[in-house]
Amino acid sequence: VFYLLKREASFTSSFKLNPINKKSLFSNVPSFMAKGGFGGGDSGRNQQRKLKSKKKRPVKQQQQRISAISPTLVQSLDDDARAVLAECSNDLDKARTSFLGYNLAYLETSMPELYKSIKDGEHMKNRETHEALVELSWDAIAAFMPITHSTGPTADSSKRLQAVAASAGFQENRNEQVEDAGYYLDVGCGNGLLLPFLKKEGIPAASYVGCDVSSRMIELAEKEYLSTNAIFISDSFENVVSGSTTAEKKVYDGIVFNGSIQFFPDITQTLRTAADNLSKGGRIVLSHINGGAFVSKEMQDNPTTVRTLMPKISDLKDIAKTLDLELTLPSFARTDGKGGVEGADMKLEDFYLVVLKKSTNGIHDGNMISEYINFPEIKL
C-alpha cells in the first residue's frame, strides 16, 4: 500500500476516473475506472498481494498459467477486473497492484481525508482507516477470485472447515438438525465459504449471517448463495452486532472468526463484544485452517492490515477468566500429557481452532476442558 502511495502521482495523471455505482465502504463515491475511461463493474475496488506464504512464481510462468485459464472464467470477472487484467498482459500480481493504484488515485480525489489518513499511517490508531485498508486489500483479492479460486477447497481443507463448523453448532449427534437454531454470525465471511459446512452440521441457511468489510466479497457470496435465505452484510463486525446495519439487533448462538480475528487490533475487546451478543450456552469460535504459523507470516508480510497473532492458550485462559467464558480445545490439540500447554500451542500452529463458551447458568468452575469435540478425521 505505502509503495503505491509513493507512486500516486503517476497513477493520478495516467488514468481517467469516471463515476459508476458502488456498494462498499465508499458507498457515496463511484468505483474506479480502467485506463482510458473504460467502464467498471458494479463494485470496483482494491487490493494487495495475495495472502499466501509461498514462493512467488516467475512472471513468465504466472502469465502462462493465467493465459491458460478458460476464456469463460476471464469473462466471469467484472468489467473493471477484466480490463485491468488485460491491460497487465494477464500478469495477476501486476493486475492487483494496478487495481489498488486505481482506487487509491480515486480515493485521493473523492475522499481526501481518508486518503490522507491512510497515507499518514493512521490505521494503527484509527479503526475506520484500518477497516478501509482491509477492504481495499480483500476487494482486490475478490476481484480475481473467479480465476484464482475457481475450484472448491481441497479435501484436507474441507475436513478442517467441517471441524470449524462443528465447533460452532456442536451437539452430541452431529448428523441431526440443530434444534431451535438461533442465529450464527460468520465474521469475515468472505465469499461464504463456511456456509455449506455449517449446513452439514444441521444449521439452516436461515440462521446464517455473514459479514465482511469487503463488499466485493459479499457480492460473490450473494451470487453463490442466491437461492438460499442466508443473510450477507457488507459492514464491520462492530456495526453488525450493534444492529446498525440489520433490521434488528440479534443474539447469536455462535459467532465464528474463521481466518479473521487477526485483523482486529484488540482481541480482548473484540471477544468482549462477541460475548455480549451471545445467547446462554453460545460459542465463540476462533479458527484458521492454515494455523497460527500462517498468520505469523501473514503479519510479517502485511503489517498494515494484520494486527495481531493468533492468541496462545495461556492468553486465552486469561481472556476467558476476564470475560467469564469457558475455554475448550478440539481433540486434535491433545498432547496426552506430553508438552503440556506449549505442546497444544504447537498443534494449533498447523490448524488453529479454539472455542470460548458462554455458561448456561452464568457460572464457570474455572477449568479448561481439554476436549471439546472429537475430530478423528483431523491428523496433524
Side-chain angles (χ1 to χ4, degrees):
V1 169
F2 294 114
Y3 168 73
L4 287 168
L5 286 170
K6 292 177 182 177
R7 299 179 55 203
E8 67 212 15
S10 63
F11 281 119
T12 305
S13 61
S14 300
F15 304 129
K16 180 180 178 182
L17 304 169
N18 294 322
I20 59 173
N21 180 45
K22 181 170 185 253
K23 298 183 297 179
S24 73
L25 169 70
F26 314 121
S27 58
N28 61 329
V29 299
S31 141
F32 84 90
M33 299 292 290
K35 189 174 181 179
F38 184 90
D42 64 3
S43 62
R45 354 269 271 250
N46 319 254
Q47 95 172 62
Q48 181 182 7
R49 307 174 108 166
K50 191 173 185 179
L51 303 177
K52 286 191 177 178
S53 55
K54 63 180 182 180
K55 187 174 180 180
K56 190 174 179 181
R57 264 193 200 97
V59 169
K60 184 176 181 180
Q61 293 180 22
Q62 186 179 62
Q63 288 178 339
Q64 290 175 346
R65 179 174 68 91
I66 299 301
S67 297
I69 294 295
S70 164
T72 302
L73 286 178
V74 175
Q75 288 301 313
S76 69
L77 297 175
D78 282 348
D79 291 344
D80 46 17
R82 189 166 63 251
V84 171
L85 186 63
E87 182 182 277
C88 296
S89 302
N90 288 346
D91 183 330
L92 186 58
D93 283 341
K94 187 180 292 184
R96 285 177 170 149
T97 300
S98 293
F99 201 85
L100 177 58
Y102 281 120
N103 286 275
L104 286 171
Y106 192 87
L107 192 63
E108 181 184 21
T109 301
S110 300
M111 301 185 74
E113 291 185 4
L114 179 58
Y115 176 86
K116 184 177 185 302
S117 181
I118 293 174
K119 185 176 180 180
D120 292 345
E122 294 295 317
H123 64 282
M124 296 301 292
K125 55 185 178 182
N126 184 288
R127 196 192 90 190
E128 288 75 16
T129 303
H130 177 252
E131 287 177 0
L133 278 174
V134 173
E135 181 185 3
L136 291 171
S137 301
W138 285 99
D139 275 350
I141 293 173
F144 299 98
M145 277 187 73
I147 289 178
T148 60
H149 295 70
S150 59
T151 58
T154 65
D156 184 59
S157 294
S158 294
K159 289 179 181 178
R160 297 185 177 204
L161 288 165
Q162 200 62 63
V164 173
S167 297
F170 173 68
Q171 53 188 345
E172 292 301 324
N173 188 340
R174 291 171 59 188
N175 296 317
E176 292 181 358
Q177 187 83 0
V178 175
E179 294 184 7
D180 301 321
Y183 287 104
Y184 290 80
L185 178 62
D186 185 3
V187 182
C189 66
N191 63 343
L193 179 65
L194 193 60
L195 176 55
F197 296 94
L198 288 169
K199 290 173 67 176
K200 288 182 180 179
E201 296 299 327
I203 298 173
S207 294
Y208 177 91
V209 180
C211 70
D212 203 298
V213 294
S214 168
S215 57
R216 196 147 194 159
M217 282 288 188
I218 291 296
E219 288 171 0
L220 290 175
E222 290 176 332
K223 181 178 180 181
E224 178 70 19
Y225 302 107
L226 182 64
S227 61
T228 74
N229 46 4
I231 299 172
F232 292 99
I233 304 171
S234 176
D235 210 333
S236 68
F237 163 66
E238 291 84 359
N239 287 344
V240 170
V241 295
S242 70
S244 63
T245 58
T246 56
E248 59 180 325
K249 180 177 171 63
K250 292 178 171 58
V251 176
Y252 297 94
D253 286 354
I255 298 179
V256 183
F257 294 85
N258 182 44
S260 61
I261 195 65
Q262 69 269 32
F263 297 105
F264 292 84
D266 188 336
I267 289 182
T268 301
Q269 181 55 46
T270 300
L271 295 179
R272 186 190 304 278
T273 301
D276 289 343
N277 290 275
L278 277 183
S279 60
K280 290 182 178 180
R283 301 166 187 85
I284 301 170
V285 179
L286 306 182
S287 61
H288 200 300
I289 64 171
N290 293 323
F294 176 90
V295 175
S296 297
K297 181 64 166 61
E298 188 181 31
M299 187 176 188
Q300 179 183 340
D301 292 343
N302 306 283
T304 58
T305 55
V306 180
R307 299 298 303 280
T308 53
L309 300 174
M310 302 305 286
K312 301 294 185 183
I313 293 174
S314 58
D315 297 325
L316 286 171
K317 281 185 175 181
D318 293 338
I319 292 173
K321 184 176 181 180
T322 299
L323 302 182
D324 194 26
L325 298 171
E326 185 178 82
L327 172 62
T328 59
L329 300 178
S331 59
F332 57 78
R334 292 181 63 181
T335 59
D336 295 323
K338 300 176 181 179
V341 170
E342 292 77 12
D345 279 329
M346 287 300 296
K347 294 286 187 74
L348 297 178
E349 285 292 281
D350 184 8
F351 173 23
Y352 194 97
L353 177 59
V354 300
V355 177
L356 293 162
K357 182 180 178 182
K358 195 169 186 176
S359 173
T360 56
N361 57 13
I363 300 174
H364 288 304
D365 59 12
N367 293 322
M368 180 183 72
I369 301 174
S370 62
E371 185 173 338
Y372 176 61
I373 186 171
N374 189 33
F375 296 116
E377 67 271 25
I378 304 296
K379 306 295 183 184
L380 301 182

